[in-house]
Amino acid sequence: MTDPVSDRTEASETNAASPELEWRDGDMPYSTAFGDHFYCQTDGRLECGHVFLAGNGLPARWQGRQNFLIGELGFGTGLNFCETWRQWRQLSAPGAKLHFMSFELYPMRAEEIGRALSHWPEIDGERQALTDAWPVDLQGMVSLTLDAHTHLSVVCGPALEGVSRAAPGFDAWYLDGFAPSRNADMWSPELMRALYDRTSPDGTFATYAAAGFVRRNLQAAGFTVERRKGFAGKREMLCGVKPA
Ligand SMILES: C[S@@+](CC[C@H](N)C(=O)[O-])C[C@H]1O[C@@H](n2cnc3c(N)ncnc32)[C@H](O)[C@@H]1O
């Protein structure tokens, strides 16, 4: 079986930025703290659509919903958020409100987010709005009302602490915490239980990860887990549902 994020790990040239962040192949961010890329090198925006949106049954599940709460482990560059916001603007029910709540240990600076997202003209408007609103002080919770229908919260700090303090009601989860082999904390039994406990009945998760211990932790938490074909030639990914 291939490593589910193996194509994130092939390195090339390096230009140091912050202690945790390097730039490779131009504007591709790479975490030296975790030894991994932030998104797949084929096309992170299309990967988001395949893994996180389709894996959670989105945008179809937005139909008929006036409020929808998405949780994400690992905000990173905000790529998943911007792509989700772009699709939400086009495909959600009239007047419906999206709350996207992400949990991030090392929030990036606005200029780093802007550089990473500059690769995709499709999300130019979302990138600009996000970086314009993004604060300089990155502690506690970043809370941004980006338009009349979209609110972003980024809870800064370890995900287990943030999720454990969060209120229930999540409809979908994007599990995006680097490769499980490099960052077991983001896939631990405790964290999977904490997010399961805060998921609404029929709520879902999706991830590019396919490691056996991740699947077992999600099943032990209570999710019904399904294997699907991964993005860009990856054999498998996982998605699942909290039984009603
Ligand atoms: C693969 S990247 C996420 C990419 C992101 N979703 C995007 O759209 O760009 C994983 C993220 O998880 C964060 N992270 C790693 N360990 C964490 C932890 N224990 N708690 C919270 N965030 C963590 C990293 O700092 C990194 O930003």
Side-chain angles (χ1 to χ4, degrees):
M1 191 179 95
T2 53
D3 179 336
V5 288
S6 59
D7 81 336
R8 298 175 178 213
T9 60
E10 291 157 18
S12 55
E13 82 196 75
T14 299
N15 298 304
S18 73
E20 290 86 25
L21 188 61
E22 291 180 357
W23 298 96
R24 299 187 171 187
D25 297 324
D27 293 322
M28 170 75 74
Y30 178 88
S31 168
T32 51
F34 296 98
D36 204 357
H37 289 92
F38 281 72
Y39 35 74
C40 94
Q41 290 165 281
T42 309
D43 189 320
R45 189 183 70 85
L46 296 181
E47 177 189 40
C48 172
H50 177 93
V51 173
F52 297 113
L53 284 144
N56 277 296
L58 306 176
R61 287 175 60 218
W62 291 337
Q63 296 318 307
R65 295 290 302 269
Q66 279 305 298
N67 292 282
F68 204 89
L69 174 58
I70 295 176
E72 178 185 53
L73 302 188
F75 187 69
T77 66
L79 174 60
N80 290 340
F81 167 68
C82 286
E83 175 60 11
T84 302
W85 185 19
R86 184 187 74 82
Q87 295 206 25
W88 176 261
R89 288 164 110 155
Q90 294 178 1
L91 300 165
S92 60
K97 300 208 169 179
L98 172 68
H99 186 181
F100 191 103
M101 180 176 284
S102 192
F103 300 85
E104 175 55 56
L105 186 56
Y106 298 123
M108 288 186 180
R109 298 191 302 267
E111 58 269 28
E112 295 167 334
I113 291 173
R115 178 172 176 181
L117 300 186
S118 63
H119 180 73
W120 290 283
E122 298 87 348
I123 52 168
D124 246 359
E126 289 78 7
R127 171 182 58 83
Q128 194 64 54
L130 176 64
T131 54
D132 284 354
W134 196 248
V136 173
D137 181 19
L138 293 165
Q139 289 178 12
M141 173 143 77
V142 175
S143 179
L144 304 174
T145 299
L146 290 162
D147 65 25
H149 303 113
T150 313
H151 191 86
L152 170 67
S153 305
V154 179
V155 181
C156 304
L160 180 58
E161 283 178 25
V163 174
S164 300
R165 283 198 308 266
F170 287 86
D171 296 299
W173 286 96
Y174 297 1
L175 308 185
D176 195 8
F178 287 133
S181 57
R182 295 182 171 80
N183 192 20
D185 282 0
M186 281 292 249
W187 310 92
S188 70
E190 296 77 15
L191 183 51
M192 299 303 106
R193 264 201 307 275
L195 68 88
Y196 179 85
D197 289 346
R198 286 155 186 80
T199 305
S200 296
D202 288 326
T204 57
F205 77 84
T207 178
Y208 48 75
F213 86 90
V214 171
R215 179 169 41 81
R216 288 189 290 277
N217 290 350
L218 286 158
Q219 284 168 331
F223 286 106
T224 303
V225 179
E226 182 193 334
R227 293 178 173 110
R228 285 198 195 163
K229 190 167 171 3
F231 177 72
K234 289 175 196 160
R235 197 163 70 99
E236 284 184 347
M237 56 171 269
L238 300 176
C239 53
V241 62
K242 177 173 182 166

